Amino acid sequence: MNKLNFTLFLFLITLFHCGLADAQEIERELLFWENRTINIGTILEENGVVEVEFLGLNQSDSVILIKDIVTDCGCTTVDYSQDTIYQSKIGSIKVNFDPDHRGGAFTKMIIVRTNQDIYGDTLYLQGFNIPFPEDLQNAYTHRDQDIGFRLSAINMGNVYTNEPKSKFIEIFNFSYDKLVLPDSINNQPEFLKVSLIPQIVEPNQRGLISLEYDGLIRNDFGYVEDLLILNFNNKPEPVGLRLMANIFEHFEPVPKTMEMIVPKLGINEVDIDLKEINSNNVVKRKIKLSNQGQEELQIRKMISNCECLTVVADDAILKSGESTDLQITFDPKGRRGIDHKHISIFSNDPLNPIRTIVIRSMIK
């Protein structure tokens, strides 16, 4: 290959790569989707097909022609209003999800291929499907005034203070009357929002209790328990369910440069071995808590996993470099053998917001 031909070859290769880069840049701007992911929430199988709509704006300089739409499941079908989307116009893609016998959380993928995008643009449909039980009597074993629940208690799981947590609870109306949950007579605590879906549950039909639990308003930490009171319209007495949650304070990630500045809880002893003790003797032990950071440390809450173990701190707020005594009192009455107890300390230390102290002993 002579010098002229080689130079021409390099020029064509460079031009090809530049053109490819420009094409890729244009490709990323073809369709602007209002939502790439739509979550339809919790659905009941017997309510049938659910339809959602994805809207895409053509903000390019040319016409976009939808060539093909592919889904990853036969339960998801797609239709669109028009296959040609002109400049500055919006195209609509309607997706139907059939929940027939498909239980649990799901994420369905929809790939939209156009004349200018051979790889396709990916959209997602998410939700949680609850199949209809084959045996209603065994499915809803907890009954209260002909209202069936799967369990007598509701566990919200981990709840963080930065945003409320939602949960849906199944109910089945075994009675001959319609179920309604009027807002006016449901005096729920401020941290809890409760509603019935649908607003009227017909006899021999299922419904959902929608719960929204706000950990910040609940203003507590660790394991907490409340009583959920449901005042249905035609029931002589309220329906009560235990409501449990583990509340944790949310902290934003701490930059490396701030790790020595933020509050930092120091504990001089986290594994305490009381060795052999007598079940008739109350044992007391003191340990030191300190603030090893530069900002003010606040001890939010201290709890133990047994009423036999109590903890009291002299001070709940420590400035930089300050320390306080933590008094631990353990009453082993009625206990025998190897024993392990735990103390959990909640603080505003963003690196370690929960610290655990272990108390070990051999009780005679």
Side-chain angles (χ1 to χ4, degrees):
M1 183 182 292
N2 60 35
K3 184 175 181 180
L4 179 60
N5 289 338
F6 181 72
T7 303
L8 180 60
F9 175 76
L10 288 179
F11 172 76
L12 291 174
I13 290 294
T14 304
L15 185 63
F16 172 79
H17 281 291
C18 290
L20 182 61
D22 289 343
Q24 290 175 341
E25 185 66 28
I26 293 172
E27 180 183 326
R28 288 194 293 268
E29 297 178 356
L30 288 180
L31 283 175
F32 177 79
W33 298 97
E34 180 185 34
N35 294 294
R36 287 183 176 272
T37 300
I38 294 180
N39 193 318
I40 57 178
T42 299
I43 59 174
L44 299 175
E45 177 192 348
E46 64 267 30
N47 291 339
V49 174
V50 179
E51 182 181 86
V52 299
E53 185 177 33
F54 291 90
L55 299 176
L57 170 67
N58 180 1
Q59 56 184 9
S60 71
D61 296 329
S62 57
V63 175
I64 294 177
L65 178 65
I66 296 177
K67 305 287 287 185
D68 190 22
I69 299 179
V70 181
T71 65
D72 63 351
C73 175
C75 60
T76 308
T77 58
V78 181
D79 189 17
Y80 43 92
S81 58
Q82 56 187 22
D83 56 6
T84 304
I85 306 174
Y86 295 95
Q87 299 95 316
S88 301
K89 299 298 181 180
I90 295 175
S92 167
I93 295 176
K94 294 182 179 180
V95 179
N96 292 315
F97 173 73
D98 185 352
D100 185 29
H101 295 97
R102 297 176 177 88
F106 62 85
T107 297
K108 302 302 175 184
M109 186 168 59
I110 303 103
I111 300 175
V112 182
R113 297 195 180 109
T114 69
N115 60 325
Q116 299 188 46
D117 183 7
I118 60 173
Y119 300 105
D121 211 351
T122 305
L123 309 174
Y124 296 95
L125 176 66
Q126 297 178 338
F128 191 94
N129 178 40
I130 304 178
F132 193 82
E134 295 182 1
D135 188 334
L136 293 172
Q137 303 299 326
N138 287 331
Y140 304 104
T141 55
H142 178 69
R143 298 281 192 89
D144 191 327
Q145 302 173 82
D146 290 328
I147 303 173
F149 300 85
R150 289 194 180 267
L151 297 169
S152 60
I154 301 169
N155 191 344
M156 295 297 298
N158 293 341
V159 179
Y160 292 87
T161 55
N162 60 321
E163 61 180 359
K165 183 173 183 179
S166 298
K167 190 162 188 172
F168 294 91
I169 308 301
E170 292 176 67
I171 65 169
F172 192 88
N173 185 6
F174 287 101
S175 71
Y176 296 104
D177 300 314
K178 298 178 180 180
L179 286 181
V180 180
L181 197 61
D183 293 335
S184 59
I185 60 173
N186 280 276
N187 299 318
Q188 301 295 341
E190 188 180 359
F191 68 87
L192 195 62
K193 293 181 180 178
V194 182
S195 60
L196 182 62
I197 303 173
Q199 292 182 342
I200 299 175
V201 179
E202 300 289 341
N204 295 312
Q205 296 293 323
R206 271 202 308 178
L208 295 172
I209 300 291
S210 171
L211 302 177
E212 186 177 284
Y213 191 111
D214 194 320
L216 182 63
I217 297 177
R218 182 61 175 81
N219 194 29
D220 205 343
F221 298 102
Y223 176 81
V224 295
E225 191 170 314
D226 297 283
L227 184 63
L228 172 65
I229 301 296
L230 302 172
N231 290 291
F232 290 99
N233 60 320
N234 57 359
K235 299 302 178 184
E237 297 179 359
V239 174
L241 299 171
R242 289 172 59 214
L243 182 64
M244 302 170 289
N246 281 303
I247 302 177
F248 299 97
E249 186 170 0
H250 172 77
F251 294 95
E252 296 294 336
V254 178
K256 281 284 185 182
T257 54
M258 292 291 293
E259 287 185 357
M260 301 304 295
I261 298 175
V262 296
K264 188 175 182 181
L265 175 61
I267 305 175
N268 73 327
E269 196 174 1
V270 295
D271 194 341
I272 301 173
D273 189 352
L274 300 176
K275 300 191 182 299
E276 187 174 302
I277 60 176
N278 191 299
S279 63
N280 296 319
N281 296 332
V282 174
V283 180
K284 294 187 177 183
R285 179 69 67 89
K286 276 186 181 182
I287 62 173
K288 286 285 185 182
L289 306 182
S290 61
N291 181 7
Q292 299 174 354
Q294 297 181 24
E295 296 179 343
E296 181 180 87
L297 174 72
Q298 299 176 11
I299 298 174
R300 308 287 203 201
K301 185 179 181 180
M302 297 182 297
I303 56 175
S304 69
N305 64 339
C306 178
E307 293 181 357
C308 60
L309 186 65
T310 59
V311 286
V312 178
D314 291 344
D315 296 298
I317 298 177
L318 301 176
K319 298 187 183 299
S320 178
E322 289 185 344
S323 62
T324 188
D325 287 330
L326 180 67
Q327 178 72 52
I328 300 171
T329 303
F330 176 45
D331 185 355
K333 184 177 180 180
R335 302 178 184 278
R336 292 290 188 276
I338 297 174
D339 192 87
H340 288 178
K341 294 292 180 284
H342 298 86
I343 298 168
S344 297
I345 302 178
F346 296 79
S347 75
N348 67 332
D349 177 348
L351 298 175
N352 294 287
I354 306 170
R355 298 289 303 276
T356 301
I357 300 171
V358 179
I359 313 292
R360 309 174 190 275
S361 63
M362 170 60 77
I363 305 173
K364 299 291 187 179

